[in-house]
Amino acid sequence: MKILVCISHVPDTTSKINFVENNTKFDTAGVQFIIGPYDDYALARAIELKESSGATVTVLNVGLAETEPTIRKALAIGADDAIRVNAHPTDSYFVATQIAEHAKGYDLILMGRESIDYNTGVVHSMVGEMLGLPSVSPVMKLDIDGTTVKMQREIEGGKESVEATLPLVAGCQEPIAEWKIPNMRGIMSARTKPLNVVEPKAVDAAVQFQKYELPPPKGAVKMISEDNVAELVTLLKNEAKVL
Amino acid sequence: MAILVFIESAEGKIKKTSLEAVAYAHAMGDKVSAIALGTVDKGELEAVGKYGAAKVLSVADERLNQGVIKAYASVLAQAMEAEGADTLVLANSSLGTPVAASVAIKVNASLASNAVELPNTSGGFVVKQSIYTGKAFALVDMKKQKKVIGIKKNAVELKEVGGNAEVAAFSANLSDADFATKITNTEKATGEILLPEAEIVVSGGRGMKGPEHWGMLEDLAKELGAATGCSKPVSDIGWRPHHEHVGQTGVKVAPQLYIAIGISGAIQHLAGVNSSKCIVVINKDPEAPFFKAADYGIVGDAFTVVPKLTEAIKAGK
Ligand SMILES: Cc1cc2nc3c(=O)[nH]c(=O)nc-3n(C[C@H](O)[C@H](O)[C@H](O)COP(=O)(O)OP(=O)(O)OC[C@H]3O[C@@H](n4cnc5c(N)ncnc54)[C@H](O)[C@@H]3O)c2cc1C
């Protein structure tokens, strides 16, 4: 079985979000970049499947050269090889088009339910539609039995059991697998694993980015004594008007 | 130009977020039709007219009583065509979001997700989207003639603008491929207020010490008509079900009121709650970072403060 895991290269979850150049560029100063947390779950499940059933795992990232340390980390975690589509991931349609271009021939195409920068949660579904494959998201459990894939999908207030056959696209989230931390041997071997850089397919832009905005700053907190809980209720009613 | 709005229902009721999608489309100023898939009560469908839909298409195909993403996308693409709609509006959800993406590819549309405001059409078609888990916004111009817009909760104010809508049957051509993904079982809390839709959320963290103490939070939630949520470690340890996990890697909520009890306020948790209108924090540690993100705070032991709060709310009714 051939598994493709698509990973995003995103700011660490503790990053301060700021913008520069008239709010048109993300401020990378002091920011650590990581494999998207949801993509990391997808990768962890792929590695489990590799260990249990001898699958091969390829990771794919759409990004410029700066994303290579993130890709190498995925290789250190256990992926066999990698593809970097050499382009800035401008929007979900662009990224989905690039993934679809390289996903043919894979049995299982995994990625996170959403990237934590744009949070659109649509790339897996777009790729599925582009390739005419079933796509399921957000998947919290995924088991393969022959060509049947049994999954659990989270829905509002519960979960659904879903079945489909390979090939298939899935957007993953916890608890599909536990995040894996690369060990020393993994880190050493990642250096020599193949990382193929390919040029992007030309795409007619579906959307044109204009600028970023930050929300207005939050006002100061009002502290209330634990002996005067009734005052909180009054404030919630009359001041905040939320009760 | 006409707009089609996909409306979702749960337990026979049209979801509030879907009504917001209708109101959003109405505020865009064009002719609005809504579409509901599966069996939904006619009265419910007619009432969608109050928020601005002139017509509601009802696709009463039993196979659509389950949210089969691909089949839903096929129906919506066909309905856009039949209605001459160049725009589809829907509420982002576990069903709406993937369906929106499939439709966008099928009809060759630009797609926007998590829109928080009406589009600005003064020079282009610019939509403001929530990004970085609510920590920022991006303004994007939707370039294609057709558009699919997913809206975030509270993108518009819900107000009544009209009377009942005309309900018309709509049937679509569906193939076996549309049902290639089979839903074999659904486990869903019934009669509960769903967390992503809730106007009030009572959420507990590791400070609650164990699942046996959740009764106290449930009492408070019941008194407030609230949904219950939790921090990630709480669902990781299995004290609470996974779908209650709030935060960057869990459910993103946008209630009027979020009450955080025994949660430290890690940045990843805050990312899931920063769209709340008002935040109350109860924590025994005055240095807990959550207080910096709160509107109101009480320093104290949850085990004494929470029952007092429940009593005070009862008393104030
Ligand atoms: C990539 C990544 C993603 C993550 N995503 C999420 C996410 O989506 N959601 C999320 O919640 N976390 C997430 N986390 C985890 C996050 O960093 C924190 O570890 C977590 O939110 C802490 O949960 P907590 O506040 O319940 O527990 P703790 O940090 O242990 O805090 C417990 C709090 O309870 C208080 N307390 C203790 N006893 C009492 C009492 N008797 N009365 C009142 N207060 C009391 C303490 O003072 C403390 O502030 C993520 C982490 C990473 C690395």
Side-chain angles (χ1 to χ4, degrees):
Chain A
M1 185 167 63
K2 286 178 71 184
I3 305 176
L4 181 69
V5 181
C6 309
I7 60 170
S8 56
H9 161 88
V10 292
D12 175 275
T13 52
T14 59
S15 308
K16 277 247 172 303
I17 306 298
N18 283 307
F19 303 106
V20 290
E21 296 182 27
N22 264 330
N23 282 331
T24 57
K25 280 221 160 62
F26 179 76
D27 184 0
T28 57
V31 170
Q32 276 244 32
F33 281 82
I34 56 166
I35 300 173
Y38 293 114
D39 311 326
D40 223 354
Y41 285 120
L43 178 63
R45 185 65 189 126
I47 301 304
E48 285 178 358
L49 291 169
K50 171 178 165 171
E51 283 161 3
S52 64
S53 68
T56 60
V57 178
T58 301
V59 288
L60 181 150
N61 165 261
V62 180
L64 298 172
E66 74 224 13
T67 70
E68 290 200 2
T70 302
I71 299 174
R72 289 279 173 209
K73 182 168 176 216
L75 292 170
I77 287 172
D80 300 295
D81 57 357
I83 303 167
R84 179 171 68 80
V85 179
N86 187 30
H88 181 65
T90 47
D91 62 86
S92 40
Y93 178 68
F94 178 84
V95 172
T97 307
Q98 306 309 329
I99 293 173
E101 191 65 14
H102 294 280
K104 288 164 201 131
Y106 287 91
D107 304 290
L108 188 59
I109 300 147
L110 301 180
M111 62 190 82
R113 63 175 284 179
E114 66 188 42
S115 68
I116 61 161
D117 47 8
Y118 262 64
N119 310 113
T120 54
V122 297
V123 171
H124 34 76
S125 196
M126 284 183 162
V127 171
E129 194 61 47
M130 286 169 175
L131 296 175
L133 300 180
S135 65
V136 182
S137 176
V139 175
M140 49 202 296
K141 196 166 185 280
L142 182 147
D143 291 303
I144 298 177
D145 181 2
T147 58
T148 305
V149 190
K150 294 188 174 165
M151 289 161 283
Q152 235 171 40
R153 183 175 103 85
E154 186 157 89
I155 55 173
E156 287 78 5
K159 54 195 176 198
E160 262 173 12
S161 304
V162 176
E163 263 183 47
T165 49
L166 294 172
L168 166 111
V169 186
C172 306
Q173 71 167 34
E174 64 170 11
I176 192 165
E178 294 223 11
W179 285 326
K180 293 203 182 324
I181 297 160
N183 58 27
M184 210 50 213
R185 225 179 95 225
I187 294 168
M188 298 302 287
S189 68
R191 293 189 190 154
T192 52
K193 284 179 179 171
L195 193 170
N196 302 309
V197 180
V198 296
E199 290 307 312
K201 184 184 170 184
V203 174
D204 251 356
V207 295
Q208 170 95 50
F209 167 77
Q210 290 193 329
K211 65 168 177 159
Y212 295 112
E213 275 180 18
L214 287 172
K218 187 111 190 155
V221 57
K222 207 176 250 185
M223 297 306 291
I224 294 142
S225 156
E226 62 168 317
D227 301 318
N228 199 3
V229 173
E231 188 193 340
L232 173 64
V233 178
T234 310
L235 287 168
L236 290 176
K237 272 190 185 152
N238 303 334
E239 190 179 71
K241 299 193 165 54
V242 292
L243 280 189
Chain B
M1 184 173 111
I3 305 175
L4 185 71
V5 182
F6 165 50
I7 48 176
E8 268 186 73
S9 58
E11 296 181 47
K13 287 230 170 301
I14 304 293
K15 287 188 177 181
K16 181 166 177 248
T17 45
S18 290
L19 296 177
E20 288 179 350
V22 174
Y24 184 97
H26 175 75
M28 282 170 66
D30 295 295
K31 188 179 146 252
V32 178
S33 306
I35 181 165
L37 282 66
T39 323
V40 189
D41 179 60
K42 185 153 180 252
E44 262 303 296
L45 296 178
E46 283 173 347
V48 174
K50 291 190 197 142
Y51 302 99
K55 181 161 85 175
V56 179
L57 303 176
S58 168
V59 192
D61 181 331
E62 277 192 2
R63 293 175 298 174
L64 301 172
N65 286 348
Q66 289 182 317
V68 187
I69 294 163
K70 225 177 159 100
Y72 270 48
S74 291
V75 174
L76 294 180
Q78 291 174 41
M80 279 180 82
E81 173 83 42
E83 289 294 299
D86 55 9
T87 302
L88 174 71
V89 176
L90 49 74
N92 280 121
S93 71
S94 68
L95 180 62
T97 305
V99 166
S102 290
V103 175
I105 300 303
K106 279 185 195 292
V107 306
N108 188 23
S110 292
L111 172 68
S113 255
N114 297 316
V116 294
E117 277 174 12
L118 287 171
N120 177 346
T121 51
S122 60
F125 193 102
V126 179
V127 172
K128 184 168 167 177
Q129 294 173 272
S130 168
I131 59 167
Y132 289 108
T133 333
K135 287 186 244 173
F137 302 100
L139 291 142
V140 294
D141 191 0
M142 300 179 77
K143 286 295 194 198
K144 294 192 176 174
Q145 193 247 330
K146 287 191 178 147
K147 293 162 183 83
V148 176
I149 307 174
I151 64 165
K152 198 173 151 131
K153 186 167 176 283
N154 300 333
V156 281
E157 200 190 329
L158 203 53
K159 51 174 191 269
E160 295 196 9
V161 294
N164 278 355
E166 169 206 342
V167 176
F170 182 81
S171 63
N173 289 322
L174 294 170
S175 67
D176 285 348
D178 287 319
F179 294 95
T181 307
K182 296 210 163 32
I183 300 171
T184 53
N185 186 35
T186 305
E187 282 170 50
K188 195 171 169 171
T190 51
E192 266 182 40
I193 298 153
L194 297 179
L195 182 59
E197 318 243 313
E199 294 304 344
I200 304 182
V201 175
V202 172
S203 203
R206 203 144 51 177
M208 290 307 295
K209 310 270 191 300
E212 67 277 16
H213 297 128
W214 240 262
M216 179 188 321
L217 301 193
E218 278 162 353
D219 289 344
L220 175 60
K222 201 160 160 230
E223 210 47 59
L224 289 166
T228 51
C230 66
S231 65
K232 176 170 154 71
V234 165
S235 72
D236 284 351
I237 327 164
W239 292 357
R240 299 298 294 172
H242 189 266
H243 63 258
E244 289 194 3
H245 153 200
V246 172
Q248 182 141 30
T249 49
V251 179
K252 285 89 181 168
V253 296
Q256 292 289 309
L257 174 60
Y258 187 80
I259 306 181
I261 303 163
I263 304 177
S264 58
I267 191 161
Q268 297 94 351
H269 187 83
L270 297 181
V273 307
N274 54 19
S275 302
S276 310
K277 183 167 173 223
C278 177
I279 295 177
V280 172
V281 169
I282 300 169
N283 197 302
K284 70 172 185 190
D285 174 9
E287 303 297 321
F290 218 144
F291 285 118
K292 289 202 181 68
D295 297 283
Y296 302 102
I298 294 182
V299 177
D301 188 329
F303 297 91
T304 56
V305 175
V306 173
K308 276 201 243 173
L309 181 57
T310 310
E311 282 312 312
I313 288 160
K314 253 189 211 157
K317 268 191 177 165

